[in-house]
Protein backbone atom coordinates (compact mmCIF):
# COMPACT_ATOMS: atom_id res chain seq x y z
CA UNK A 1 0.00 0.00 0.00
CA UNK A 2 1.49 3.40 -1.00
CA UNK A 3 2.01 6.10 1.63
CA UNK A 4 -0.69 8.35 0.19
CA UNK A 5 -3.23 5.49 0.26
CA UNK A 6 -2.22 4.67 3.84
CA UNK A 7 -2.60 8.35 4.80
CA UNK A 8 -6.02 8.73 3.21
CA UNK A 9 -7.17 5.44 4.74
CA UNK A 10 -6.34 6.78 8.20
CA UNK A 11 -8.13 10.06 7.44
CA UNK A 12 -11.20 8.26 6.04
CA UNK A 13 -11.46 6.25 9.24
CA UNK A 14 -11.78 9.54 11.14
CA UNK A 15 -14.76 10.80 9.10
CA UNK A 16 -16.56 7.46 8.54
CA UNK A 17 -17.45 4.58 10.87
CA UNK A 18 -15.22 1.49 10.77
CA UNK A 19 -17.75 -0.60 8.79
CA UNK A 20 -18.01 2.14 6.15
CA UNK A 21 -14.38 1.79 5.02
CA UNK A 22 -13.08 -1.46 3.54
CA UNK A 23 -9.79 -2.77 2.20
CA UNK A 24 -11.07 -6.35 2.26
CA UNK A 25 -10.03 -8.20 -0.92
CA UNK A 26 -13.47 -9.71 -1.58
CA UNK A 27 -15.12 -6.30 -1.26
CA UNK A 28 -12.48 -4.76 -3.55
CA UNK A 29 -12.98 -7.59 -6.08
CA UNK A 30 -16.72 -6.93 -6.14
CA UNK A 31 -15.90 -3.36 -7.14
CA UNK A 32 -13.29 -4.30 -9.75
CA UNK A 33 -15.69 -5.27 -12.53
CA UNK A 34 -18.95 -4.42 -14.19
CA UNK A 35 -21.15 -6.69 -16.34
CA UNK A 36 -18.94 -6.28 -19.41
CA UNK A 37 -15.99 -8.06 -21.00
CA UNK A 38 -13.55 -5.27 -20.05
CA UNK A 39 -10.45 -6.13 -18.05
CA UNK A 40 -10.88 -5.85 -14.28
CA UNK A 41 -8.84 -3.70 -11.85
CA UNK A 42 -8.98 -3.42 -8.05
CA UNK A 43 -9.69 -0.24 -6.09
CA UNK A 44 -7.42 0.29 -3.05
CA UNK A 45 -10.30 1.25 -0.75
CA UNK A 46 -14.09 0.96 -0.90
CA UNK A 47 -16.18 3.41 1.14
CA UNK A 48 -19.91 3.32 1.92
CA UNK A 49 -21.14 6.84 2.79
CA UNK A 50 -24.59 7.40 4.32
CA UNK A 51 -25.17 11.07 3.52
CA UNK A 52 -24.05 14.08 1.48
CA UNK A 53 -21.72 15.41 4.19
CA UNK A 54 -19.81 12.13 4.26
CA UNK A 55 -19.48 12.15 0.44
CA UNK A 56 -18.24 15.73 0.70
CA UNK A 57 -15.60 14.77 3.30
CA UNK A 58 -14.44 11.85 1.13
CA UNK A 59 -14.07 14.14 -1.89
CA UNK A 60 -12.17 16.79 0.10
CA UNK A 61 -9.66 14.15 1.22
CA UNK A 62 -9.37 12.58 -2.23
CA UNK A 63 -8.78 16.00 -3.78
CA UNK A 64 -6.18 16.86 -1.14
CA UNK A 65 -4.25 13.60 -1.65
CA UNK A 66 -5.06 13.55 -5.40
CA UNK A 67 -6.44 10.01 -5.17
CA UNK A 68 -8.83 8.82 -7.94
CA UNK A 69 -12.46 8.28 -6.96
CA UNK A 70 -15.00 6.10 -8.78
CA UNK A 71 -18.71 6.44 -7.87
CA UNK A 72 -20.43 3.02 -7.84
CA UNK A 73 -24.16 2.22 -8.03
CA UNK A 74 -24.92 -1.42 -8.84
CA UNK A 75 -22.00 -2.09 -11.18
CA UNK A 76 -24.38 -3.12 -13.98
CA UNK A 77 -22.80 -0.90 -16.61
CA UNK A 78 -21.55 -2.43 -19.81
CA UNK A 79 -18.52 -0.40 -20.93
CA UNK A 80 -16.14 -0.64 -17.97
CA UNK A 81 -17.53 2.55 -16.41
CA UNK A 82 -16.81 1.63 -12.79
CA UNK A 83 -13.55 -0.25 -13.24
CA UNK A 84 -10.94 1.77 -11.31
CA UNK A 85 -8.05 1.58 -13.77
CA UNK A 86 -6.05 4.05 -11.63
CA UNK A 87 -7.04 2.21 -8.40
CA UNK A 88 -7.88 4.64 -5.57
CA UNK A 89 -11.25 4.89 -3.82
CA UNK A 90 -14.56 3.45 -4.96
CA UNK A 91 -17.59 5.19 -3.41
CA UNK A 92 -20.36 2.60 -3.15
CA UNK A 93 -23.75 4.33 -2.77
CA UNK A 94 -25.68 1.28 -1.58
CA UNK A 95 -26.23 2.71 1.93
CA UNK A 96 -27.75 5.90 0.46
CA UNK A 97 -30.96 4.11 -0.50
CA UNK A 98 -33.75 6.24 0.99
CA UNK A 99 -36.80 7.49 -0.87
CA UNK A 100 -36.84 10.94 0.70
CA UNK A 101 -40.13 12.42 -0.52
CA UNK A 102 -43.01 11.56 -2.86
CA UNK A 103 -44.61 14.81 -4.07
CA UNK A 104 -47.79 13.29 -5.49
CA UNK A 105 -49.29 16.60 -6.57
CA UNK A 106 -46.14 17.70 -8.39
CA UNK A 107 -45.56 14.23 -9.89
CA UNK A 108 -42.04 14.33 -8.47
CA UNK A 109 -39.99 12.13 -6.19
CA UNK A 110 -36.81 12.88 -4.26
CA UNK A 111 -34.42 9.97 -3.73
CA UNK A 112 -30.92 9.13 -2.62
CA UNK A 113 -28.71 7.76 -5.42
CA UNK A 114 -28.56 4.14 -4.21
CA UNK A 115 -32.34 3.58 -4.62
CA UNK A 116 -32.95 1.04 -7.39
CA UNK A 117 -35.62 1.46 -10.05
CA UNK A 118 -37.64 -1.53 -8.79
CA UNK A 119 -37.43 -0.30 -5.17
CA UNK A 120 -38.79 3.06 -6.32
CA UNK A 121 -41.59 1.53 -8.37
CA UNK A 122 -42.66 -0.66 -5.47
CA UNK A 123 -43.08 2.45 -3.31
CA UNK A 124 -44.71 4.56 -6.04
CA UNK A 125 -47.36 1.90 -6.71
CA UNK A 126 -48.92 2.82 -3.34
CA UNK A 127 -49.60 6.29 -4.78
CA UNK A 128 -50.85 5.06 -8.20
CA UNK A 129 -47.61 6.35 -9.75
CA UNK A 130 -44.64 4.84 -11.59
CA UNK A 131 -41.13 5.77 -12.69
CA UNK A 132 -40.70 5.15 -16.39
CA UNK A 133 -37.04 4.40 -17.15
CA UNK A 134 -36.38 0.65 -17.07
CA UNK A 135 -32.93 -0.58 -18.13
CA UNK A 136 -32.62 -4.38 -18.30
CA UNK A 137 -30.71 -4.50 -14.98
CA UNK A 138 -32.16 -3.37 -11.65
CA UNK A 139 -29.81 -0.40 -11.62
CA UNK A 140 -29.61 2.45 -9.11
CA UNK A 141 -31.10 5.82 -9.96
CA UNK A 142 -27.70 7.46 -9.36
CA UNK A 143 -26.07 5.11 -11.88
CA UNK A 144 -28.97 5.54 -14.30
CA UNK A 145 -28.68 9.33 -14.18
CA UNK A 146 -24.91 9.12 -14.54
CA UNK A 147 -25.26 7.00 -17.71
CA UNK A 148 -28.39 8.75 -19.07
CA UNK A 149 -30.00 5.32 -19.12
CA UNK A 150 -33.11 4.48 -21.09
CA UNK A 151 -35.21 1.41 -21.73
CA UNK A 152 -38.33 -0.07 -23.20
CA UNK A 153 -40.61 2.87 -22.38
CA UNK A 154 -38.35 5.59 -23.73
CA UNK A 155 -40.26 5.77 -27.00
CA UNK A 156 -43.13 7.34 -25.03
CA UNK A 157 -41.69 8.76 -21.80
CA UNK A 158 -38.12 9.72 -22.74
CA UNK A 159 -34.65 8.97 -21.38
CA UNK A 160 -33.22 9.60 -17.92
CA UNK A 161 -32.23 13.16 -18.87
CA UNK A 162 -35.94 13.93 -19.48
CA UNK A 163 -36.86 12.79 -15.97
CA UNK A 164 -34.28 14.70 -13.91
CA UNK A 165 -35.57 17.97 -12.38
CA UNK A 166 -32.74 18.45 -9.94
CA UNK A 167 -29.54 16.82 -8.76
CA UNK A 168 -27.55 17.45 -5.64
CA UNK A 169 -23.95 16.99 -6.75
CA UNK A 170 -20.78 16.83 -4.68
CA UNK A 171 -17.99 18.28 -6.80
CA UNK A 172 -14.35 17.22 -6.88
CA UNK A 173 -13.36 19.70 -4.15
CA UNK A 174 -16.14 18.55 -1.81
CA UNK A 175 -18.50 21.52 -2.32
CA UNK A 176 -22.03 20.61 -3.27
CA UNK A 177 -24.52 22.25 -5.61
CA UNK A 178 -28.07 21.83 -6.94
CA UNK A 179 -28.33 21.68 -10.72
CA UNK A 180 -32.05 22.46 -11.04
CA UNK A 181 -35.27 23.09 -9.09
CA UNK A 182 -38.81 21.72 -8.82
CA UNK A 183 -40.35 23.84 -11.57
CA UNK A 184 -41.60 22.11 -14.72
CA UNK A 185 -39.54 24.45 -16.87
CA UNK A 186 -36.84 27.05 -16.45
CA UNK A 187 -35.03 29.48 -18.71
CA UNK A 188 -32.58 30.43 -16.00
CA UNK A 189 -28.84 29.89 -16.42
CA UNK A 190 -26.97 27.04 -18.09
CA UNK A 191 -28.71 23.64 -18.20
CA UNK A 192 -26.60 21.87 -15.57
CA UNK A 193 -29.02 18.94 -15.26
CA UNK A 194 -28.29 18.16 -18.89
CA UNK A 195 -24.54 18.44 -18.33
CA UNK A 196 -24.31 16.23 -15.24
CA UNK A 197 -26.75 13.56 -16.47
CA UNK A 198 -24.63 11.20 -18.56
CA UNK A 199 -21.32 12.40 -17.06
CA UNK A 200 -20.54 8.86 -15.80
CA UNK A 201 -19.05 9.96 -12.49
CA UNK A 202 -16.44 12.17 -14.20
CA UNK A 203 -17.82 15.54 -13.03
CA UNK A 204 -19.29 14.89 -9.59
CA UNK A 205 -21.09 12.47 -7.25
CA UNK A 206 -24.88 12.63 -7.19
CA UNK A 207 -26.15 12.51 -3.63
CA UNK A 208 -29.84 13.35 -4.21
CA UNK A 209 -32.07 13.21 -7.29
CA UNK A 210 -35.48 14.80 -7.94
CA UNK A 211 -37.23 12.87 -10.70
CA UNK A 212 -40.46 13.02 -12.67
CA UNK A 213 -43.00 10.26 -12.12
CA UNK A 214 -46.25 9.42 -13.92
CA UNK A 215 -49.74 8.20 -13.09
CA UNK A 216 -50.20 4.48 -13.75
CA UNK A 217 -52.28 4.37 -16.96
CA UNK A 218 -55.90 3.29 -16.71
CA UNK A 219 -55.48 0.49 -19.24
CA UNK A 220 -52.54 -1.38 -20.76
CA UNK A 221 -52.32 -3.90 -23.58
CA UNK A 222 -49.22 -5.75 -24.72
CA UNK A 223 -48.71 -7.70 -27.92
CA UNK A 224 -46.25 -10.00 -29.67
CA UNK A 225 -46.12 -9.56 -33.43
CA UNK A 226 -44.21 -12.11 -35.53
CA UNK A 227 -42.56 -11.09 -38.82
CA UNK A 228 -40.80 -13.01 -41.60
CA UNK A 229 -37.66 -10.83 -41.33
CA UNK A 230 -36.06 -8.21 -39.08
CA UNK A 231 -36.34 -5.77 -41.98
CA UNK A 232 -40.14 -6.07 -42.23
CA UNK A 233 -40.44 -5.79 -38.44
CA UNK A 234 -38.38 -2.59 -38.30
CA UNK A 235 -40.14 -1.10 -41.33
CA UNK A 236 -43.45 -1.69 -39.52
CA UNK A 237 -42.11 0.21 -36.49
CA UNK A 238 -41.04 3.13 -38.68
CA UNK A 239 -44.53 3.33 -40.20
CA UNK A 240 -46.21 3.15 -36.77
CA UNK A 241 -44.04 6.01 -35.47
CA UNK A 242 -44.63 8.09 -38.59
CA UNK A 243 -48.40 7.91 -38.06
CA UNK A 244 -47.91 9.34 -34.55
CA UNK A 245 -49.59 6.45 -32.68
CA UNK A 246 -48.48 6.98 -29.04
CA UNK A 247 -46.98 3.54 -28.55
CA UNK A 248 -45.60 2.95 -25.03
CA UNK A 249 -43.07 0.24 -25.86
CA UNK A 250 -41.78 -1.40 -29.02
CA UNK A 251 -38.91 -3.85 -28.86
CA UNK A 252 -37.32 -5.97 -31.56
CA UNK A 253 -36.22 -9.48 -30.63
CA UNK A 254 -34.64 -11.44 -33.48
CA UNK A 255 -34.96 -15.17 -34.14
CA UNK A 256 -31.84 -16.23 -32.19
CA UNK A 257 -32.83 -14.03 -29.25
CA UNK A 258 -36.36 -15.53 -29.20
CA UNK A 259 -34.67 -18.96 -28.98
CA UNK A 260 -32.67 -17.75 -25.95
CA UNK A 261 -35.85 -16.27 -24.37
CA UNK A 262 -37.73 -19.57 -24.82
CA UNK A 263 -34.89 -21.52 -23.20
CA UNK A 264 -34.37 -19.14 -20.27
CA UNK A 265 -37.91 -17.96 -19.55
CA UNK A 266 -39.68 -21.25 -20.41
CA UNK A 267 -41.87 -19.53 -22.96
CA UNK A 268 -43.03 -21.03 -26.21
CA UNK A 269 -42.89 -18.05 -28.55
CA UNK A 270 -42.65 -18.59 -32.32
CA UNK A 271 -38.93 -18.51 -33.21
CA UNK A 272 -39.05 -15.72 -35.80
CA UNK A 273 -38.22 -11.99 -35.65
CA UNK A 274 -40.76 -10.52 -33.23
CA UNK A 275 -41.89 -7.14 -31.98
CA UNK A 276 -42.92 -6.86 -28.33
CA UNK A 277 -45.34 -3.93 -28.07
CA UNK A 278 -47.29 -2.12 -25.41
CA UNK A 279 -50.01 0.51 -25.53
CA UNK A 280 -51.32 2.43 -22.54
CA UNK A 281 -53.95 5.09 -21.90
CA UNK A 282 -57.73 5.10 -21.64
CA UNK A 283 -59.64 2.11 -22.97
CA UNK A 284 -61.49 3.88 -25.82
CA UNK A 285 -58.44 5.63 -27.28
CA UNK A 286 -56.37 2.52 -26.89
CA UNK A 287 -58.76 0.37 -28.93
CA UNK A 288 -58.31 2.65 -31.94
CA UNK A 289 -54.51 2.77 -31.57
CA UNK A 290 -54.31 -1.01 -31.34
CA UNK A 291 -56.52 -1.53 -34.42
CA UNK A 292 -54.56 0.97 -36.47
CA UNK A 293 -51.21 -0.56 -35.40
CA UNK A 294 -52.49 -4.02 -36.30
CA UNK A 295 -53.39 -2.84 -39.81
CA UNK A 296 -49.97 -1.24 -40.30
CA UNK A 297 -48.17 -4.37 -39.13
CA UNK A 298 -50.22 -6.58 -41.44
CA UNK A 299 -49.33 -4.28 -44.35
CA UNK A 300 -45.69 -5.04 -43.51
CA UNK A 301 -46.19 -8.80 -43.60
CA UNK A 302 -46.83 -9.53 -39.90
CA UNK A 303 -47.72 -13.23 -39.83
CA UNK A 304 -49.10 -13.52 -36.32
CA UNK A 305 -50.10 -11.15 -33.55
CA UNK A 306 -51.02 -12.19 -30.01
CA UNK A 307 -52.42 -9.69 -27.50
CA UNK A 308 -51.80 -10.04 -23.77
CA UNK A 309 -54.26 -7.99 -21.73
CA UNK A 310 -54.16 -9.81 -18.42
CA UNK A 311 -51.49 -8.72 -15.98
CA UNK A 312 -49.73 -12.06 -15.58
CA UNK A 313 -49.20 -12.65 -19.29
CA UNK A 314 -48.02 -9.06 -19.77
CA UNK A 315 -45.59 -9.29 -16.89
CA UNK A 316 -44.28 -12.59 -18.29
CA UNK A 317 -43.75 -10.98 -21.70
CA UNK A 318 -41.78 -8.03 -20.32
CA UNK A 319 -39.85 -10.15 -17.84
CA UNK A 320 -38.79 -12.33 -20.77
CA UNK A 321 -37.62 -9.23 -22.64
CA UNK A 322 -35.83 -7.76 -19.63
CA UNK A 323 -34.10 -11.06 -18.93
CA UNK A 324 -32.85 -11.45 -22.47
CA UNK A 325 -29.23 -10.50 -21.70
CA UNK A 326 -29.27 -12.89 -18.73
CA UNK A 327 -30.69 -15.59 -21.03
CA UNK A 328 -27.58 -15.22 -23.21
CA UNK A 329 -25.27 -15.14 -20.16
CA UNK A 330 -26.80 -18.24 -18.51
CA UNK A 331 -27.02 -20.10 -21.81
CA UNK A 332 -23.32 -19.55 -22.56
CA UNK A 333 -21.42 -20.24 -19.36
CA UNK A 334 -17.71 -19.32 -19.54
CA UNK A 335 -18.27 -16.68 -22.22
CA UNK A 336 -18.43 -12.91 -21.71
CA UNK A 337 -21.08 -10.61 -23.13
CA UNK A 338 -20.26 -7.80 -25.55
CA UNK A 339 -23.21 -5.56 -26.42
CA UNK A 340 -23.26 -2.93 -29.14
CA UNK A 341 -25.82 -0.19 -28.61
CA UNK A 342 -25.69 2.24 -31.49
CA UNK A 343 -28.60 4.56 -32.25
CA UNK A 344 -29.44 5.91 -35.72
CA UNK A 345 -32.08 8.25 -37.16
CA UNK A 346 -35.30 6.25 -37.40
CA UNK A 347 -35.31 6.44 -41.24
CA UNK A 348 -31.94 4.60 -41.27
CA UNK A 349 -32.93 1.92 -38.78
CA UNK A 350 -34.21 -0.86 -41.08
CA UNK A 351 -31.04 -0.82 -43.22
CA UNK A 352 -28.83 -0.59 -40.13
CA UNK A 353 -30.48 -3.64 -38.53
CA UNK A 354 -30.21 -5.67 -41.77
CA UNK A 355 -26.53 -4.65 -42.08
CA UNK A 356 -25.86 -5.72 -38.47
CA UNK A 357 -27.77 -9.00 -38.90
CA UNK A 358 -25.77 -9.91 -42.04
CA UNK A 359 -22.43 -9.00 -40.41
CA UNK A 360 -23.35 -10.99 -37.32
CA UNK A 361 -24.25 -14.08 -39.36
CA UNK A 362 -21.00 -13.80 -41.33
CA UNK A 363 -18.68 -13.86 -38.26
CA UNK A 364 -20.23 -17.05 -36.90
CA UNK A 365 -20.26 -16.08 -33.19
CA UNK A 366 -23.16 -16.78 -30.85
CA UNK A 367 -25.28 -13.65 -30.77
CA UNK A 368 -28.50 -11.94 -31.66
CA UNK A 369 -30.14 -8.62 -32.29
CA UNK A 370 -32.53 -6.89 -30.00
CA UNK A 371 -33.35 -3.31 -29.23
CA UNK A 372 -35.51 -0.39 -28.36
CA UNK A 373 -36.27 0.10 -32.03
CA UNK A 374 -38.83 2.83 -31.44
CA UNK A 375 -35.88 5.09 -30.56
CA UNK A 376 -33.65 3.91 -33.44
CA UNK A 377 -31.56 2.07 -30.83
CA UNK A 378 -30.57 -1.56 -31.27
CA UNK A 379 -28.18 -4.00 -29.65
CA UNK A 380 -26.17 -6.90 -30.97
CA UNK A 381 -25.43 -9.23 -28.08
CA UNK A 382 -22.31 -11.33 -28.67
CA UNK A 383 -21.08 -14.09 -26.37
CA UNK A 384 -17.31 -14.36 -26.56
CA UNK A 385 -14.60 -16.58 -25.16
CA UNK A 386 -12.10 -14.03 -23.83
CA UNK A 387 -9.27 -16.61 -23.96
CA UNK A 388 -9.72 -17.02 -27.72
CA UNK A 389 -7.89 -14.09 -29.33
CA UNK A 390 -9.42 -14.74 -32.77
CA UNK A 391 -12.95 -14.68 -31.33
CA UNK A 392 -12.27 -11.46 -29.41
CA UNK A 393 -10.80 -9.83 -32.54
CA UNK A 394 -13.85 -10.83 -34.62
CA UNK A 395 -16.24 -9.40 -32.03
CA UNK A 396 -14.27 -6.15 -31.71
CA UNK A 397 -14.11 -5.70 -35.47
CA UNK A 398 -17.88 -6.33 -35.68
CA UNK A 399 -18.50 -3.73 -32.95
CA UNK A 400 -16.32 -1.23 -34.79
CA UNK A 401 -18.14 -1.76 -38.11
CA UNK A 402 -21.54 -1.20 -36.49
CA UNK A 403 -20.33 1.99 -34.77
CA UNK A 404 -18.83 3.37 -37.99
CA UNK A 405 -22.03 2.53 -39.87
CA UNK A 406 -24.04 4.53 -37.29
CA UNK A 407 -21.65 7.49 -37.20
CA UNK A 408 -21.60 7.75 -41.00
CA UNK A 409 -25.39 8.23 -40.80
CA UNK A 410 -25.16 10.90 -38.11
CA UNK A 411 -26.11 8.48 -35.36
CA UNK A 412 -24.24 7.83 -32.12
CA UNK A 413 -21.82 5.14 -30.88
CA UNK A 414 -23.97 4.62 -27.79
CA UNK A 415 -27.70 5.17 -27.47
CA UNK A 416 -27.88 4.30 -23.78
CA UNK A 417 -25.05 2.23 -22.26
CA UNK A 418 -22.60 5.14 -22.30
CA UNK A 419 -18.94 5.59 -23.13
CA UNK A 420 -16.97 4.25 -20.15
CA UNK A 421 -13.70 2.89 -21.47
CA UNK A 422 -15.15 0.90 -24.39
CA UNK A 423 -16.52 3.73 -26.53
CA UNK A 424 -13.82 6.28 -25.69
CA UNK A 425 -11.98 5.65 -28.95
CA UNK A 426 -14.99 6.91 -30.97
CA UNK A 427 -15.45 10.20 -29.10
CA UNK A 428 -13.24 12.34 -31.37
CA UNK A 429 -14.90 10.96 -34.48
CA UNK A 430 -18.40 11.50 -33.10
CA UNK A 431 -17.93 14.91 -31.49
CA UNK A 432 -15.12 16.62 -33.45
CA UNK A 433 -14.19 20.01 -31.95
CA UNK A 434 -16.99 19.67 -29.36
CA UNK A 435 -14.82 17.10 -27.59
CA UNK A 436 -12.38 19.89 -26.67
CA UNK A 437 -15.27 21.80 -25.07
CA UNK A 438 -16.04 18.71 -22.99
CA UNK A 439 -12.37 18.45 -21.98
CA UNK A 440 -12.35 22.11 -20.88
CA UNK A 441 -15.47 21.54 -18.74
CA UNK A 442 -13.87 18.49 -17.14
CA UNK A 443 -10.63 20.34 -16.35
CA UNK A 444 -12.55 23.32 -14.92
CA UNK A 445 -14.64 21.13 -12.61
CA UNK A 446 -12.02 18.54 -11.73
CA UNK A 447 -8.56 20.12 -12.20
CA UNK A 448 -6.77 17.20 -10.49
CA UNK A 449 -8.61 14.66 -12.69
CA UNK A 450 -9.60 12.53 -9.72
CA UNK A 451 -13.21 11.77 -10.71
CA UNK A 452 -13.45 8.49 -12.62
CA UNK A 453 -10.29 9.19 -14.64
CA UNK A 454 -9.87 7.59 -18.08
CA UNK A 455 -13.62 7.38 -18.64
CA UNK A 456 -15.33 9.18 -21.54
CA UNK A 457 -12.31 11.52 -22.00
CA UNK A 458 -8.62 10.78 -22.06
CA UNK A 459 -7.16 13.56 -19.92
CA UNK A 460 -3.54 13.42 -18.81
CA UNK A 461 -3.29 13.55 -14.99
C1 LIG B 1 -28.64 -7.22 -18.42
C2 LIG B 1 -28.41 -5.76 -18.59
C3 LIG B 1 -29.33 -5.02 -19.32
C4 LIG B 1 -29.15 -3.64 -19.46
N1 LIG B 1 -30.08 -2.93 -20.15
C5 LIG B 1 -29.95 -1.60 -20.26
C6 LIG B 1 -30.93 -0.83 -20.92
O1 LIG B 1 -31.94 -1.33 -21.40
N2 LIG B 1 -30.75 0.51 -20.97
C7 LIG B 1 -29.67 1.12 -20.43
O2 LIG B 1 -29.57 2.35 -20.49
N3 LIG B 1 -28.71 0.41 -19.82
C8 LIG B 1 -28.82 -0.92 -19.71
N4 LIG B 1 -27.86 -1.64 -19.06
C9 LIG B 1 -26.67 -0.96 -18.51
C10 LIG B 1 -26.77 -0.50 -17.03
O3 LIG B 1 -27.76 -1.21 -16.35
C11 LIG B 1 -27.05 1.00 -17.00
O4 LIG B 1 -25.96 1.70 -17.55
C12 LIG B 1 -27.32 1.53 -15.57
O5 LIG B 1 -27.73 2.86 -15.70
C13 LIG B 1 -26.12 1.46 -14.64
O6 LIG B 1 -26.58 1.68 -13.32
P1 LIG B 1 -25.78 1.13 -12.06
O7 LIG B 1 -26.51 1.54 -10.84
O8 LIG B 1 -25.46 -0.29 -12.19
O9 LIG B 1 -24.46 2.03 -12.18
P2 LIG B 1 -22.93 1.57 -12.16
O10 LIG B 1 -22.69 0.56 -13.20
O11 LIG B 1 -22.51 1.28 -10.78
O12 LIG B 1 -22.26 2.97 -12.62
C14 LIG B 1 -22.50 3.48 -13.89
C15 LIG B 1 -21.82 4.84 -14.03
O13 LIG B 1 -22.46 5.76 -13.18
C16 LIG B 1 -21.55 6.35 -12.27
N5 LIG B 1 -22.28 6.54 -11.02
C17 LIG B 1 -22.92 5.60 -10.28
N6 LIG B 1 -23.49 6.16 -9.20
C18 LIG B 1 -23.21 7.49 -9.27
C19 LIG B 1 -23.51 8.61 -8.43
N7 LIG B 1 -24.23 8.49 -7.32
N8 LIG B 1 -23.02 9.81 -8.80
C20 LIG B 1 -22.30 9.97 -9.93
N9 LIG B 1 -21.97 8.96 -10.74
C21 LIG B 1 -22.44 7.74 -10.41
C22 LIG B 1 -20.39 5.38 -12.19
O14 LIG B 1 -19.18 6.01 -11.83
C23 LIG B 1 -20.36 4.84 -13.60
O15 LIG B 1 -19.64 5.70 -14.45
C24 LIG B 1 -28.02 -3.02 -18.90
C25 LIG B 1 -27.09 -3.79 -18.18
C26 LIG B 1 -27.28 -5.14 -18.02
C27 LIG B 1 -26.29 -5.93 -17.24
Amino acid sequence: MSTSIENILNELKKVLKEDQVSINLTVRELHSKDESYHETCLPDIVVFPKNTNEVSEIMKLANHYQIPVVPFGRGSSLEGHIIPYDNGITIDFSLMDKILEVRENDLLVKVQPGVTRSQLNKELKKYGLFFSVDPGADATLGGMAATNASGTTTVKYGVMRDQVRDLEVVLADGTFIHTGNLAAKSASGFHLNGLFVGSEGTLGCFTELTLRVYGIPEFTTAARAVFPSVQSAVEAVTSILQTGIPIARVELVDEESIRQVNRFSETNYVESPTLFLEFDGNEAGLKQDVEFTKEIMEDHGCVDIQFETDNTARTKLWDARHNLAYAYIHGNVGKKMMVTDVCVPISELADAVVYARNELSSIGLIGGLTGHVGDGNFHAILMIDMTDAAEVAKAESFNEKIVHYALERNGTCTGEHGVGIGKQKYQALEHGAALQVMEKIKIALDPNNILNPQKILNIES
Side-chain angles (χ1 to χ4, degrees):
M1 191 182 281
S2 71
T3 320
S4 54
I5 291 294
E6 229 170 280
N7 288 340
I8 200 167
L9 182 62
N10 289 331
E11 300 271 1
L12 284 167
K13 285 179 178 165
K14 289 181 199 159
V15 294
L16 299 171
K17 293 211 173 81
E18 203 181 319
D19 61 356
Q20 289 177 263
V21 185
S22 180
I23 51 166
N24 174 288
L25 182 59
T26 312
V27 174
R28 288 161 63 215
E29 275 171 357
L30 282 172
H31 295 83
S32 70
K33 53 180 185 273
D34 60 6
E35 299 257 8
S36 74
Y37 61 98
H38 294 290
E39 206 176 308
T40 63
C41 188
L42 288 171
D44 295 301
I45 305 171
V46 182
V47 291
F48 299 86
K50 290 186 177 163
N51 56 48
T52 306
N53 284 335
E54 289 181 352
V55 178
S56 168
E57 291 304 318
I58 295 162
M59 289 311 302
K60 280 181 198 161
L61 289 171
N63 205 32
H64 174 75
Y65 287 101
Q66 301 199 8
I67 303 289
V69 170
V70 177
F72 184 101
R74 260 290 170 97
S76 72
S77 40
L78 293 167
E79 291 294 355
H81 296 65
I82 47 80
I83 304 174
Y85 286 113
D86 291 347
N87 315 107
I89 303 170
T90 289
I91 305 185
D92 182 316
F93 283 96
S94 57
L95 298 184
M96 291 180 69
D97 63 347
K98 309 276 173 306
I99 296 168
L100 301 170
E101 192 182 1
V102 179
R103 295 175 68 99
E104 279 179 89
N105 294 338
D106 290 319
L107 294 173
L108 293 174
V109 64
K110 202 178 270 190
V111 297
Q112 288 189 312
V115 172
T116 66
R117 66 173 180 86
S118 65
Q119 181 193 345
L120 178 60
N121 271 323
K122 202 168 161 202
E123 178 66 17
L124 289 176
K125 207 172 174 186
K126 297 178 195 160
Y127 299 83
L129 299 170
F130 78 103
F131 180 71
S132 61
V133 185
D134 65 338
D138 189 19
T140 64
L141 292 156
M144 287 165 63
T147 53
N148 191 24
S150 48
T152 64
T153 62
T154 293
V155 65
K156 179 162 181 181
Y157 296 96
V159 299
M160 205 57 199
R161 195 170 266 130
D162 301 312
Q163 319 307 329
V164 172
R165 265 307 151 77
D166 182 37
L167 294 172
E168 181 180 74
V169 185
V170 176
L171 301 174
D173 63 2
T175 53
F176 53 92
I177 59 164
H178 278 262
T179 58
N181 50 54
L182 302 189
K185 63 181 197 178
S186 168
S188 173
F190 291 171
H191 194 333
L192 294 185
N193 283 343
L195 174 66
F196 279 90
V197 173
S199 60
E200 300 184 6
T202 65
L203 299 181
C205 295
F206 309 158
T207 45
E208 213 177 272
L209 302 93
T210 303
L211 304 167
R212 288 177 70 183
V213 295
Y214 302 86
I216 295 173
E218 183 197 337
F219 200 79
T220 306
T221 292
R224 261 182 308 114
V226 180
F227 287 82
S229 66
V230 286
Q231 181 163 15
S232 52
V234 176
E235 282 170 356
V237 173
T238 311
S239 298
I240 294 165
L241 293 173
Q242 282 164 351
T243 57
I245 297 171
I247 200 150
R249 287 169 152 169
V250 55
E251 296 286 304
L252 172 72
V253 188
D254 79 347
E255 193 173 332
E256 177 54 33
S257 304
I258 288 280
R259 256 194 287 282
Q260 302 282 343
V261 163
N262 280 342
R263 245 198 318 255
F264 183 75
S265 299
E266 294 177 359
T267 46
N268 195 17
Y269 300 152
V270 179
E271 293 183 351
S272 268
T274 301
L275 293 177
F276 287 12
L277 303 114
E278 192 164 281
F279 306 83
D280 62 24
N282 67 56
E283 196 167 357
L286 215 70
K287 249 188 186 152
Q288 280 184 343
D289 292 342
V290 168
E291 277 311 309
F292 197 14
T293 305
K294 212 170 143 202
E295 269 175 41
I296 294 171
M297 289 196 297
E298 280 162 2
D299 287 348
H300 285 280
C302 173
V303 289
D304 184 34
I305 179 158
Q306 298 291 330
F307 286 92
E308 322 269 23
T309 37
D310 88 274
N311 243 345
T312 317
R314 249 187 331 107
T315 306
K316 188 168 182 182
L317 181 86
W318 291 111
D319 280 352
R321 167 63 190 94
H322 274 127
N323 288 332
L324 180 54
Y326 294 111
Y328 274 100
I329 293 168
H330 288 273
N332 297 280
V333 178
K335 293 191 182 254
K336 286 276 186 184
M337 180 173 66
M338 181 193 273
V339 195
T340 71
D341 83 313
V342 297
C343 192
V344 294
I346 199 80
S347 59
E348 299 281 355
L349 185 63
D351 287 348
V353 168
V354 170
Y355 173 78
R357 185 58 267 176
N358 290 340
E359 287 293 322
L360 189 55
S361 302
S362 75
I363 59 172
L365 296 181
I366 298 169
L369 290 188
T370 165
H372 315 302
V373 282
D375 317 322
N377 185 195
F378 69 94
H379 307 312
I381 300 179
L382 295 175
M383 298 310 298
I384 43 181
D385 176 355
M386 293 305 288
T387 61
D388 182 339
E391 207 165 280
V392 176
K394 265 191 207 173
E396 278 175 351
S397 145
F398 168 80
N399 200 341
E400 204 147 320
K401 277 187 188 166
I402 303 300
V403 169
H404 282 282
Y405 185 98
L407 293 183
E408 279 157 20
R409 282 148 190 86
N410 234 330
T412 174
C413 68
T414 169
E416 57 182 23
H417 296 161
V419 179
I421 196 83
K423 294 282 171 67
Q424 198 193 68
K425 58 182 175 237
Y426 306 116
Q427 294 302 289
L429 186 60
E430 179 164 342
H431 299 293
L435 192 63
Q436 285 146 33
V437 176
M438 295 184 207
E439 285 167 357
K440 284 181 185 155
I441 293 172
K442 165 74 177 170
I443 292 165
L445 289 176
D446 180 17
N448 293 322
N449 194 21
I450 57 166
L451 274 161
N452 210 359
Q454 297 196 50
K455 307 299 161 44
I456 308 182
L457 305 167
N458 195 4
I459 306 235
E460 291 292 316
S461 293

